[in-house]
């Protein structure tokens, strides 16, 4: 027991899992957000077109008529066409630029009070002309093609990679005015951040301090779908944090809450707008689900600091070139959260996991779950805490979406159905008058029955009376169902009919952590 308490105190919390991303289509799109790859401005194209028409038409005719040499049109028109073609080419070259550009977009993950972390970086190599380049990345970075394929090179485009120090990409072929993307994973420096946060009356309260020499731009503390945007943090600067925990707002992206609304691909976008566009796409990558799109919430177990920097993560060399460099780096730092005293776990402070199912079929999306005849077991667990939780309230509600319960007051009291009132497949279903009436067969509402696992004694499943949609219930004797060490609650949803049921069970716990 002493060892289990010692190690969490000594080892700072890190991000969940590795830096791997199963679908990187969003971040590959962010790498391609370069002015050189944007569509040319419509005004310039129209001016060029009308200038061409005026040049070879009225202007050419008027000049030749004035000098009384209209027969020269057979010579002047080809000359003007060639001159226009050269002008159009020059216009395009001016828009594309004349140098190789390396656009770096990365996510660097670290830990509080740490200066080392791991980075996943996407390097976009842009060439104004068709060429083949030798690219070197020092530091032993692991190089590969993007998971989702190169936006301009097409899916399935492979790279000739030699791993080592430096790692190399040989003969990287880049088309005219095009871009190729390289994916790299490597250790990286992380700005040192110190935070002291606590859960107080349904709010995350405390402060964040920048102990590094790097300016942290657009910092935000995020817990699930709850966001507190902070001012830019200069080196040594501290800012107070008050983040109320509420139900997640479905349909609103994390990027909109941190960056604001951006419109990707604006031809007239300036550097600041393009940087915001790139950062918004990277934030969308963090909340992107290949099946359901952007979920709008982080999957981390606790609060996370998201902040931006412009310093390079990797020193990329392109043989024979002095490329221009653009960097957008997201620092992802999970923060500790002290949970002590009176607490209320609900909304983004509690998560559910499906642990078992014997239903005929089962499916779940961010809005609801539905399954056939059988049962589905779910484990609800609040964010991590140290100590023992004494539960005073266990509230549940059936709804069509994970809007959460938060601190609901006055839930209808509910107790498990006594064993004598439960249906028996052998005996006739004749119940005492004091038993709750089962739902008639002709009044099926598409909702499953709910059972809670009683942790006392040998442990058993206790069925609740049929719950009404959209109504909160306060379960009697919550200590029987809430694990004092972790706060976990086991719930089993049962469908005794052949018809499909669909719903979402929201659950909240109130009590004291000591």
């Amino acid at each position: 027991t002493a060892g289990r308490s010692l190690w969490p105190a000594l080892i700072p919390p890190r991000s969940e899992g590795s830096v791997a991303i199963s679908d990187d289509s969003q971040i590959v799109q962010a790498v391609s957000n370069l002015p050189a790859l944007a569509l040319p401005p419509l005004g310039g194209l129209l001016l060029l077109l009308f200038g061409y028409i005026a040049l070879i038409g009225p202007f050419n005719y008027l000049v030749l008529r004035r000098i009384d040499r209209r027969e020269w049109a057979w010579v002047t028109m080809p000359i003007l066409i060639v001159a226009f073609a050269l002008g159009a080419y020059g216009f395009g070259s001016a828009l594309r630029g004349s140098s190789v550009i390396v656009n770096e977009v990365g996510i660097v993950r670290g830990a509080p009070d740490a200066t080392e972390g791991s980075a996943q970086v996407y390097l976009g190599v842009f060439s104004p002309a068709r060429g083949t380049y030798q690219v070197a990345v020092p530091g032993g970075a692991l190089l590969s093609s993007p998971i989702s394929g190169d936006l301009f090179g097409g899916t399935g485009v492979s790279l000739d990679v030699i791993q080592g120090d430096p790692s190399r990409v040989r003969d990287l072929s880049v088309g005219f005015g095009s871009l190729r993307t390289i994916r790299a994973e490597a250790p990286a420096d992380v700005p040192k951040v110190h935070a002291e946060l606590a859960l107080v009356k349904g709010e995350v309260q405390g402060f964040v301090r920048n102990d590094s020499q790097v300016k942290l731009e657009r910092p935000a503390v995020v817990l699930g779908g709850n966001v507190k945007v902070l001012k830019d943090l200069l080196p040594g600067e501290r800012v107070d944090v008050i983040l109320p925990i509420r139900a997640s707002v479905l349909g609103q992206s994390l990027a909109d809450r941190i960056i604001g609304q951006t419109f990707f691909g604006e031809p007239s976008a300036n550097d600041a707008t393009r940087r915001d566009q790139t950062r918004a796409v990277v934030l969308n990558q963090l909340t992107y689900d290949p099946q359901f799109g952007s979920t709008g919430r982080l999957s981390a177990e606790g609060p996370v600091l998201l902040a931006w920097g412009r310093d390079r993560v990797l020193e990329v060399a392109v043989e024979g070139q002095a490329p221009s460099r653009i960097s957008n780096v997201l620092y992802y730092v999970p923060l500790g959260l002290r949970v002590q005293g009176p607490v209320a776990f609900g909304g983004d402070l509690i998560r559910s996991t499906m642990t078992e199912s014997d239903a005929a079929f089962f499916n779940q999306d961010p809005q609801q779950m539905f399954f056939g005849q059988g049962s589905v077991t779910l484990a609800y667990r609040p964010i991590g805490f140290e100590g023992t939780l004494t539960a005073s309230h266990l509230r549940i509600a059936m709804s069509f979406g994970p809007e959460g319960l938060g601190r609901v007051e006055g839930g209808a009291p509910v107790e498990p159905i006594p064993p004598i009132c439960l249906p028996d497949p052998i005996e006739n279903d004749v119940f005492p008058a004091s038993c709750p009436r089962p739902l008639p067969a002709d009044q099926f509402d598409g909702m499953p029955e709910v059972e809670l696992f009683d942790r006392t004694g040998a442990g058993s499943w206790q069925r609740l009376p049929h719950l009404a949609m959209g109504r909160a219930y306060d379960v009697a004797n919550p200590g029987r169902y809430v694990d004092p060490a972790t706060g976990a609650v086991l719930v089993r949803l049962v469908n005794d009919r052949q018809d499909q049921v669909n719903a979402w069970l929201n659950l909240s716990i109130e009590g004291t952590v000591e």
Side-chain angles (χ1 to χ4, degrees):
T1 304
R4 288 196 299 269
S5 302
L6 174 65
W7 288 113
L10 294 178
I11 301 176
R14 288 190 178 270
S15 59
E16 72 293 343
S18 68
V19 296
I21 297 175
S22 60
D23 185 308
D24 56 7
S25 57
Q26 301 287 309
I27 201 167
V28 170
Q29 181 187 15
V31 174
S32 69
N33 189 25
L34 284 173
L37 291 172
L39 294 173
L42 183 60
L45 290 178
L46 290 176
L47 182 63
L48 201 63
L49 177 61
F50 286 116
Y52 171 70
I53 295 173
L55 186 64
I56 66 172
F59 182 80
N60 183 42
Y61 173 77
L62 291 175
V63 171
L64 295 179
R65 189 181 69 170
R66 184 175 182 84
I67 63 175
D68 197 22
R69 292 289 188 270
R70 280 173 286 187
E71 64 276 10
W72 288 3
W74 294 100
V75 177
T76 58
M77 289 189 66
I79 294 175
L80 292 175
I81 291 173
V82 171
F84 171 80
L86 293 175
Y89 180 82
F91 178 69
S93 298
L95 289 177
R96 297 290 185 181
S98 58
S99 63
V100 173
I101 301 174
V102 176
N103 186 20
E104 179 185 64
V105 178
I107 301 175
V108 178
R109 307 194 184 214
D113 300 307
T115 58
E116 297 179 349
S118 56
Q120 190 166 79
V121 181
Y122 287 74
L123 302 167
V125 180
F126 167 80
S127 174
R130 184 182 300 276
T132 301
Y133 303 98
Q134 314 302 319
V135 180
V137 182
L142 298 177
L143 306 182
S144 63
S145 300
I147 298 172
S148 303
D150 197 300
L151 187 65
F152 289 91
T155 57
V157 176
S158 60
L159 302 176
D160 184 2
V161 175
I162 301 178
Q163 301 293 170
D165 191 2
S167 298
R168 298 181 179 274
V169 178
R170 296 187 301 186
D171 300 329
L172 180 68
S173 178
V174 186
F176 170 76
S178 189
L179 178 142
R180 291 291 303 277
T181 306
I182 304 170
R183 179 170 171 255
E185 295 186 26
D189 294 332
V190 183
K192 185 177 180 181
V193 174
H194 179 74
E196 295 183 14
L197 301 176
L199 181 62
V200 181
K201 297 180 179 179
E203 293 183 341
V204 175
Q205 300 181 6
F207 69 87
V208 175
R209 187 177 67 234
N210 181 8
D211 288 343
S212 73
Q213 299 302 312
V214 177
K215 178 183 177 181
L216 300 179
E217 301 180 13
R218 295 280 184 100
V221 176
V222 181
L223 199 163
N226 293 272
V227 177
K228 176 63 177 179
V229 179
L230 312 174
K231 68 182 187 68
D232 291 356
L233 286 177
L234 299 175
E237 195 170 9
R238 162 182 160 164
V239 63
D240 293 332
V241 176
I242 299 179
L243 173 59
I245 305 301
R246 301 186 176 92
S248 298
V249 180
L250 297 175
Q252 186 178 19
S253 71
L254 183 64
D256 286 349
R257 279 172 270 178
I258 296 178
I259 303 295
Q261 289 190 345
T262 58
F263 300 95
F264 191 82
E266 294 178 77
S268 60
N270 54 34
D271 289 343
T273 301
R274 286 193 175 278
R275 190 172 292 275
D276 285 346
Q277 291 170 348
T278 299
R279 292 175 175 182
V281 176
V282 175
L283 290 173
N284 287 335
Q285 178 71 75
L286 292 178
T287 61
Y288 182 74
D289 186 293
Q291 283 187 304
F292 307 113
S294 179
T295 62
R297 61 196 305 274
L298 288 182
S299 60
E301 294 294 329
V304 175
L305 176 69
L306 301 179
W308 294 92
R310 306 189 186 194
D311 293 344
R312 304 175 188 175
V313 178
L314 301 176
E315 293 296 331
V316 181
V318 180
E319 186 176 325
Q321 301 287 330
S324 302
R325 293 295 304 270
I326 302 174
S327 292
N328 267 300
V329 181
L330 174 64
Y331 298 112
Y332 183 110
V333 183
L335 305 176
L337 181 65
R338 184 173 61 86
V339 180
Q340 204 73 29
V343 293
F345 297 113
D348 283 328
L349 294 175
I350 196 165
R351 302 293 176 88
S352 65
T353 305
M354 196 273 283
T355 61
E356 183 181 0
S357 175
D358 60 5
F361 63 88
F362 173 82
N363 203 349
Q364 179 177 336
D365 60 35
Q367 302 291 331
Q368 62 181 339
M369 64 179 70
F370 48 93
F371 56 95
Q373 189 173 27
S375 65
V376 175
T377 302
L378 303 166
Y380 289 81
R381 182 171 179 174
I383 61 173
F385 58 85
E386 295 182 9
T388 301
L389 171 63
T390 302
S392 59
H393 293 278
L394 173 61
R395 294 192 174 99
I396 57 178
M398 301 296 291
S399 64
F400 288 111
E403 68 272 9
L405 286 171
R407 295 181 61 87
V408 176
E409 304 293 343
V414 64
E415 295 186 11
I417 300 174
I420 194 175
C421 299
L422 294 175
D424 191 312
I426 300 177
E427 301 292 336
N428 294 328
D429 294 337
V430 178
F431 308 117
S434 60
C435 292
R437 297 293 91 189
L439 191 69
D442 61 347
Q443 296 183 16
F444 179 55
D445 58 0
M447 307 295 295
E449 304 297 332
V450 178
E451 296 180 351
L452 300 177
F453 185 73
D454 187 349
R455 298 177 179 272
T456 61
S460 61
W461 288 100
Q462 302 290 324
R463 177 168 291 195
L464 301 178
H466 191 75
L467 305 184
M469 169 64 71
R471 185 176 183 184
Y473 293 88
D474 206 331
V475 180
N477 302 314
R480 295 170 55 184
Y481 314 103
V482 181
D483 184 352
T486 63
V489 178
L490 291 178
V491 180
R492 186 163 66 186
L493 305 180
V494 181
N495 179 15
D496 295 324
R497 305 171 186 255
Q498 295 184 350
D499 298 308
Q500 169 185 302
V501 295
N502 59 294
W504 192 281
L505 180 75
N506 290 295
L507 184 146
S508 71
I509 303 169
E510 291 186 23
T512 304
V513 175
E514 297 176 343

